[in-house]
Amino acid sequence: KLDVSRSTIVDDMKVESVGPNKFAFNFENSPTETIVADGTDQPGLSGSTLAVKQADERTMTVTRKQDGKVIVSAHWKLSPDGRTLRDAFTAVQDDGSNLSTDYVYRRTAGTSGFAGAWESTTKPNGLKLEMDIQPYGNEGLSFTSSGSTKDVTFDGRDHAAEGSKDVTFSGRRRGARTMDYTEKNGGKVAHLRAFQLSRDGRTLTETLRTPGHGVPDVFVFQRTE
């Protein structure tokens, strides 16, 4: 189970102005969503809808729905100098509870307005995240978190992810308490994950490096069973 207080969780997003009152959003290296900022529900990722409304030059609201129900709401406010973005964010977690976080993003690219690259290291206190690790085949492990499972074989070779032609995993064991795996998409490195198990076997630290991100994510998990 994730220990948020001991973790460093980096949130990155990119916003591009692509036309009059029209923006392209990229959240955490997910596929880009292009939305007209008129407040209407428009097709988004994974069957969701995304609605964006820009009230003025410094204020924007973002709402994502799944099956007609709000799962994410965010209220963005730019600082007068355009270098800081404050996000009053609320999301529905897997157990149905709400997670509310006041994120503070700093601009890493761009000069004015919402368009640009943004990075936040605000701790999302109250975030509930569990990871289950089980044996996979003779040389592998299955990592399950938030309903998604990644099967990794630790032989140093690329293996296609189940149900995908583009995603591959390649794992290596570095010792009795260390291992890492590389995730590629279309032959390009998407994520590098390194794991370190404490000597007492109670704490697992995952360091996640993503190309283009200056600061790695560090997730500290406590064993529950």
Side-chain angles (χ1 to χ4, degrees):
K1 183 179 294 185
L2 182 69
D3 184 343
V4 176
S5 67
R6 298 171 61 190
S7 301
T8 300
I9 302 174
V10 184
D11 194 83
D12 289 279
M13 64 181 181
K14 295 178 182 177
V15 181
E16 181 182 0
S17 178
V18 294
N21 205 35
K22 192 175 185 179
F23 298 89
F25 298 90
N26 183 283
F27 301 108
E28 285 293 295
N29 271 3
S30 296
T32 298
E33 298 168 281
T34 301
I35 304 293
V36 177
D38 61 2
T40 62
D41 294 335
Q42 297 165 53
L45 298 177
S46 304
S48 69
T49 61
L50 194 63
V52 177
K53 179 68 174 179
Q54 184 169 5
D56 54 49
E57 293 183 351
R58 293 176 49 209
T59 307
M60 182 178 284
T61 59
V62 180
T63 305
R64 189 180 298 280
K65 296 179 182 178
Q66 192 79 50
D67 299 325
K69 297 180 179 180
V70 175
I71 58 172
V72 169
S73 63
H75 300 272
W76 294 359
K77 189 72 174 180
L78 278 175
S79 61
D81 63 6
R83 297 179 61 83
T84 302
L85 187 156
R86 294 183 178 273
D87 175 8
F89 176 90
T90 299
V92 179
Q93 302 195 83
D94 290 343
D95 65 355
S97 64
N98 286 338
L99 170 67
S100 296
T101 304
D102 290 325
Y103 286 101
V104 178
Y105 290 84
R106 65 179 184 86
R107 183 186 293 277
T108 59
T111 57
S112 63
F114 289 101
W118 301 90
E119 181 178 88
S120 173
T121 55
T122 304
K123 290 186 183 296
N125 293 318
L127 174 64
K128 298 175 183 178
L129 180 64
E130 295 185 2
M131 180 166 59
D132 182 67
I133 304 176
Q134 297 293 334
Y136 170 70
N138 295 325
E139 300 180 86
L141 293 170
S142 288
F143 300 80
T144 300
S145 182
S146 297
S148 174
T149 297
K150 298 179 179 180
D151 298 325
V152 182
T153 300
F154 288 84
D155 61 2
R157 295 180 294 176
D158 289 337
H159 294 268
E162 184 176 355
S164 175
K165 297 180 180 179
D166 299 322
V167 177
T168 62
F169 301 114
S170 173
R172 290 184 182 274
R173 293 186 181 274
R174 305 293 183 178
R177 297 192 307 276
T178 57
M179 60 184 179
D180 57 62
Y181 74 83
T182 301
E183 179 179 342
K184 296 180 182 178
N185 194 329
K188 296 183 178 180
V189 174
H191 300 290
L192 298 168
R193 300 176 188 269
F195 297 86
Q196 177 75 50
L197 186 66
S198 62
R199 290 184 178 276
D200 63 5
R202 302 296 303 172
T203 303
L204 181 68
T205 301
E206 175 190 356
T207 301
L208 169 62
R209 291 181 170 83
T210 303
H213 292 195
V215 181
D217 291 281
V218 179
F219 301 97
V220 179
F221 293 91
Q222 295 297 128
R223 186 186 294 275
T224 58
E225 60 179 56

Tab-separated table of all heavy atoms in Angstrom, residues 3-9 99-103 120-127 218:
chain	number	residue	atom	x	y	z
A	3	ASP	N	2.598	4.682	0.670
A	3	ASP	CA	2.799	5.639	1.759
A	3	ASP	C	3.083	6.993	1.116
A	3	ASP	O	4.204	7.282	0.706
A	3	ASP	CB	3.971	5.203	2.648
A	3	ASP	CG	4.166	6.097	3.860
A	3	ASP	OD1	3.633	7.220	3.869
A	3	ASP	OD2	4.876	5.684	4.803
A	4	VAL	N	2.037	7.814	0.979
A	4	VAL	CA	2.166	9.086	0.270
A	4	VAL	C	3.176	10.005	0.942
A	4	VAL	O	3.935	10.709	0.271
A	4	VAL	CB	0.796	9.788	0.162
A	4	VAL	CG1	0.932	11.154	-0.491
A	4	VAL	CG2	-0.180	8.926	-0.625
A	5	SER	N	3.222	9.991	2.270
A	5	SER	CA	4.096	10.911	3.005
A	5	SER	C	5.568	10.690	2.694
A	5	SER	O	6.384	11.602	2.808
A	5	SER	CB	3.853	10.788	4.510
A	5	SER	OG	4.267	9.505	4.994
A	6	ARG	N	5.946	9.472	2.294
A	6	ARG	CA	7.339	9.150	2.001
A	6	ARG	C	7.623	9.108	0.505
A	6	ARG	O	8.737	8.789	0.093
A	6	ARG	CB	7.695	7.806	2.640
A	6	ARG	CG	7.575	7.797	4.155
A	6	ARG	CD	7.712	6.386	4.708
A	6	ARG	NE	9.005	5.798	4.396
A	6	ARG	CZ	9.311	4.516	4.592
A	6	ARG	NH1	8.390	3.701	5.082
A	6	ARG	NH2	10.506	4.057	4.293
A	7	SER	N	6.624	9.409	-0.299
A	7	SER	CA	6.757	9.311	-1.749
A	7	SER	C	6.910	10.688	-2.391
A	7	SER	O	6.518	11.706	-1.815
A	7	SER	CB	5.531	8.607	-2.347
A	7	SER	OG	5.372	7.307	-1.801
A	8	THR	N	7.489	10.700	-3.584
A	8	THR	CA	7.580	11.910	-4.406
A	8	THR	C	6.823	11.633	-5.696
A	8	THR	O	7.254	10.818	-6.512
A	8	THR	CB	9.035	12.274	-4.729
A	8	THR	OG1	9.751	12.501	-3.509
A	8	THR	CG2	9.098	13.530	-5.595
A	9	ILE	N	5.671	12.281	-5.857
A	9	ILE	CA	4.809	12.012	-6.991
A	9	ILE	C	4.777	13.245	-7.883
A	9	ILE	O	4.327	14.319	-7.468
A	9	ILE	CB	3.395	11.628	-6.531
A	9	ILE	CG1	3.473	10.393	-5.619
A	9	ILE	CG2	2.483	11.368	-7.723
A	9	ILE	CD1	2.168	10.006	-4.976
A	99	LEU	N	-10.926	12.154	-3.807
A	99	LEU	CA	-9.605	12.673	-3.459
A	99	LEU	C	-9.542	14.124	-3.914
A	99	LEU	O	-9.695	14.408	-5.100
A	99	LEU	CB	-8.505	11.868	-4.147
A	99	LEU	CG	-7.086	12.455	-4.051
A	99	LEU	CD1	-6.592	12.405	-2.610
A	99	LEU	CD2	-6.133	11.700	-4.972
A	100	SER	N	-9.348	15.040	-2.986
A	100	SER	CA	-9.243	16.463	-3.311
A	100	SER	C	-7.843	16.956	-2.988
A	100	SER	O	-7.343	16.739	-1.879
A	100	SER	CB	-10.283	17.276	-2.530
A	100	SER	OG	-11.601	16.911	-2.916
A	101	THR	N	-7.212	17.605	-3.951
A	101	THR	CA	-5.846	18.096	-3.798
A	101	THR	C	-5.729	19.473	-4.429
A	101	THR	O	-6.248	19.702	-5.525
A	101	THR	CB	-4.835	17.154	-4.490
A	101	THR	OG1	-4.985	15.831	-3.981
A	101	THR	CG2	-3.400	17.619	-4.246
A	102	ASP	N	-5.061	20.382	-3.735
A	102	ASP	CA	-4.776	21.700	-4.296
A	102	ASP	C	-3.363	21.666	-4.879
A	102	ASP	O	-2.371	21.936	-4.186
A	102	ASP	CB	-4.895	22.783	-3.222
A	102	ASP	CG	-6.337	22.996	-2.779
A	102	ASP	OD1	-7.235	22.877	-3.636
A	102	ASP	OD2	-6.562	23.277	-1.591
A	103	TYR	N	-3.269	21.312	-6.160
A	103	TYR	CA	-1.964	21.211	-6.818
A	103	TYR	C	-1.416	22.606	-7.137
A	103	TYR	O	-2.175	23.526	-7.470
A	103	TYR	CB	-2.089	20.433	-8.125
A	103	TYR	CG	-2.273	18.945	-7.954
A	103	TYR	CD1	-3.529	18.363	-8.079
A	103	TYR	CD2	-1.189	18.115	-7.690
A	103	TYR	CE1	-3.704	16.989	-7.933
A	103	TYR	CE2	-1.354	16.748	-7.545
A	103	TYR	CZ	-2.606	16.189	-7.667
A	103	TYR	OH	-2.771	14.838	-7.528
A	120	SER	N	4.163	19.556	-11.310
A	120	SER	CA	3.813	19.710	-9.901
A	120	SER	C	4.375	18.547	-9.089
A	120	SER	O	4.358	17.398	-9.549
A	120	SER	CB	2.293	19.758	-9.720
A	120	SER	OG	1.947	19.744	-8.337
A	121	THR	N	4.862	18.832	-7.893
A	121	THR	CA	5.289	17.791	-6.958
A	121	THR	C	4.452	17.855	-5.670
A	121	THR	O	4.868	17.360	-4.626
A	121	THR	CB	6.787	17.919	-6.616
A	121	THR	OG1	7.055	19.241	-6.119
A	121	THR	CG2	7.657	17.663	-7.837
A	122	THR	N	3.264	18.468	-5.752
A	122	THR	CA	2.356	18.509	-4.610
A	122	THR	C	1.961	17.089	-4.213
A	122	THR	O	1.591	16.282	-5.058
A	122	THR	CB	1.086	19.306	-4.964
A	122	THR	OG1	1.448	20.615	-5.413
A	122	THR	CG2	0.170	19.420	-3.749
A	123	LYS	N	2.049	16.781	-2.935
A	123	LYS	CA	1.673	15.439	-2.466
A	123	LYS	C	0.155	15.308	-2.431
A	123	LYS	O	-0.521	16.077	-1.746
A	123	LYS	CB	2.258	15.171	-1.076
A	123	LYS	CG	3.767	15.002	-1.053
A	123	LYS	CD	4.251	14.606	0.332
A	123	LYS	CE	5.765	14.503	0.396
A	123	LYS	NZ	6.292	13.439	-0.473
A	124	PRO	N	-0.395	14.315	-3.147
A	124	PRO	CA	-1.856	14.097	-3.108
A	124	PRO	C	-2.253	13.312	-1.866
A	124	PRO	O	-2.563	12.115	-1.925
A	124	PRO	CB	-2.109	13.308	-4.392
A	124	PRO	CG	-0.840	12.544	-4.613
A	124	PRO	CD	0.274	13.419	-4.086
A	125	ASN	N	-2.218	13.973	-0.708
A	125	ASN	CA	-2.547	13.300	0.549
A	125	ASN	C	-3.956	12.712	0.483
A	125	ASN	O	-4.894	13.373	0.069
A	125	ASN	CB	-2.452	14.287	1.720
A	125	ASN	CG	-1.030	14.742	1.961
A	125	ASN	OD1	-0.095	13.954	1.910
A	125	ASN	ND2	-0.849	16.042	2.202
A	126	GLY	N	-4.068	11.457	0.884
A	126	GLY	CA	-5.340	10.764	0.798
A	126	GLY	C	-5.427	9.846	-0.402
A	126	GLY	O	-6.395	9.091	-0.538
A	127	LEU	N	-4.403	9.888	-1.271
A	127	LEU	CA	-4.388	8.998	-2.427
A	127	LEU	C	-4.305	7.546	-1.972
A	127	LEU	O	-3.449	7.177	-1.174
A	127	LEU	CB	-3.186	9.321	-3.321
A	127	LEU	CG	-2.953	8.384	-4.515
A	127	LEU	CD1	-4.116	8.454	-5.492
A	127	LEU	CD2	-1.644	8.729	-5.212
A	218	VAL	N	8.972	8.745	-7.070
A	218	VAL	CA	9.436	7.745	-6.101
A	218	VAL	C	8.232	7.307	-5.282
A	218	VAL	O	7.647	8.100	-4.535
A	218	VAL	CB	10.542	8.300	-5.181
A	218	VAL	CG1	10.967	7.221	-4.187
A	218	VAL	CG2	11.742	8.774	-5.992
